[in-house]
């Protein structure tokens, strides 16, 4: 079957739905269109924000309450002021950060590879305060492990840092910082491709590391 097939072109970044081994065996070219070119990243980020708001406001229970003509319950929780951890830092993750920032959340992100700009994981002590401190002048800061306790160092954009990265108050590397950062987040948004490296990432240990009552969103 498909002996004349020469190309499989994925509209979007995810290839988990394509049998890549079969394509290789048959000599079929497999390609994808980057999400920033399709608008898929922005669309997916909007869905992530919707799902997060729906979970916090207990949308399903609220709909049932309205259907029964009961008002005022459940109350749900507001997003403002929450510590949100984004897992992954590709196009979708950056679009999620840009859309969540206006809600007044404290953003942090963890990814598999090292961060190229300050602060790296070696520079940061991960704690609940890593999602943002205030230096008295209103600047978002990170706790620097090289400073005296309580001292802070402001994040400055520049040096090749994109605008989405400048929104982050904490950054980590998955292999070393995931557990600590999960334990300091009120909400977690998974925005990474499904690969052999991260398949099964959300296991019992992952869930146990999360704050009780924290919301988990997967896009």
């Amino acid at each position: 079957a498909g002996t004349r097939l020469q190309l499989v072109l994925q509209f979007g970044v995810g290839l988990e739905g394509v049998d890549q081994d079969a394509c290789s065996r048959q000599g079929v070219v497999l390609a994808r269109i980057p999400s920033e070119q399709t608008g898929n990243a922005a669309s997916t980020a909007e869905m992530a924000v919707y799902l997060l708001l729906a979970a916090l406001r207990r949308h399903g229970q609220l709909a049932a309450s309205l259907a029964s003509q009961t008002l005022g319950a459940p109350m749900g929780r507001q997003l403002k002021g929450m510590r949100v951890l984004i897992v992954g830092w590709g196009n979708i993750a950056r679009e999620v950060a840009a859309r969540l920032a206006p809600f007044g959340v404290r953003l942090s992100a963890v990814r598999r590879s090292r961060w190229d700009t300050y602060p790296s994981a070696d520079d940061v002590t991960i704690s609940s305060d890593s999602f943002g401190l205030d230096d008295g002048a209103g600047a978002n800061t990170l706790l620097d492990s090289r400073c005296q306790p309580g001292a802070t160092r402001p994040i400055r954009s520049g040096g090749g840092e994109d605008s989405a990265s400048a929104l982050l108050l904490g950054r980590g590397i998955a292999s070393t910082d995931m557990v600590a950062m999960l334990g300091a987040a009120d909400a977690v948004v998974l925005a990474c491709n499904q690969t052999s490296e991260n398949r099964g990432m959300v296991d019992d240990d992952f869930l146990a590391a999360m704050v009780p009552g924290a919301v988990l969103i997967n896009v």
Side-chain angles (χ1 to χ4, degrees), residues 123-213:
D123 295 326
V124 179
T125 298
I126 303 299
S127 69
S128 58
D129 289 334
S130 293
F131 282 81
L133 303 171
D134 196 303
D135 62 2
N140 293 325
T141 58
L142 282 168
L143 184 64
D144 191 320
S145 60
R146 296 168 301 182
C147 298
Q148 295 297 320
T152 58
R153 180 172 181 173
I155 295 176
R156 303 300 181 194
S157 59
E161 183 178 41
D162 61 77
S163 58
S165 294
L167 298 172
L168 298 178
L169 304 180
R171 311 178 197 186
I173 300 174
S175 61
T176 57
D177 303 321
M178 180 72 83
V179 171
M181 297 186 80
L182 286 172
D186 303 303
V188 179
V189 178
L190 302 179
C192 49
N193 293 331
Q194 180 177 299
T195 65
S196 58
E197 290 83 3
N198 63 28
R199 185 175 289 109
M201 175 178 61
V202 181
D203 54 15
D204 290 342
D205 292 336
F206 185 103
L207 296 175
M210 293 179 61
V211 173

Side-chain angles (χ1 to χ4, degrees), residues 79-80 96-105 107 167:
L79 182 55
K80 182 180 179 180
V96 169
R99 283 159 178 74
L100 284 178
F103 284 90
V105 300
L107 290 168
L167 298 172

Side-chain angles (χ1 to χ4, degrees), residues 1-191:
T3 56
R4 298 175 58 188
L5 183 64
Q6 296 180 333
L7 171 67
V8 173
L9 181 60
Q10 169 69 31
F11 187 80
V13 68
L15 295 175
E16 56 268 19
V18 181
D19 191 335
Q20 300 177 50
D21 292 335
C23 288
S24 297
R25 288 194 302 269
Q26 299 299 322
V28 176
V29 176
L30 176 59
R32 60 188 176 188
I33 302 174
S35 56
E36 69 268 22
Q37 302 298 323
T38 64
N40 182 60
S43 177
T44 303
E46 290 178 4
M47 178 60 70
V49 174
Y50 160 71
L51 291 173
L52 179 55
L53 289 170
L56 290 173
R57 293 297 181 176
R58 300 165 66 181
H59 179 269
Q61 293 168 281
L62 181 60
S65 178
L66 290 175
S68 64
Q69 299 183 356
T70 301
L71 300 179
M75 294 298 293
R77 293 179 287 167
Q78 72 172 15
L79 182 55
K80 182 180 179 180
M82 282 195 166
R83 302 164 299 175
V84 180
L85 173 65
I86 302 174
V87 179
W89 196 243
N91 293 321
I92 292 173
R94 289 191 289 270
E95 293 284 357
V96 169
R99 283 159 178 74
L100 284 178
F103 284 90
V105 300
R106 292 177 284 171
L107 290 168
S108 188
V110 59
R111 68 182 187 186
R112 189 174 57 192
S113 57
R114 290 185 59 85
W115 298 84
D116 296 330
T117 55
Y118 179 84
S120 70
D122 293 336
D123 295 326
V124 179
T125 298
I126 303 299
S127 69
S128 58
D129 289 334
S130 293
F131 282 81
L133 303 171
D134 196 303
D135 62 2
N140 293 325
T141 58
L142 282 168
L143 184 64
D144 191 320
S145 60
R146 296 168 301 182
C147 298
Q148 295 297 320
T152 58
R153 180 172 181 173
I155 295 176
R156 303 300 181 194
S157 59
E161 183 178 41
D162 61 77
S163 58
S165 294
L167 298 172
L168 298 178
L169 304 180
R171 311 178 197 186
I173 300 174
S175 61
T176 57
D177 303 321
M178 180 72 83
V179 171
M181 297 186 80
L182 286 172
D186 303 303
V188 179
V189 178
L190 302 179

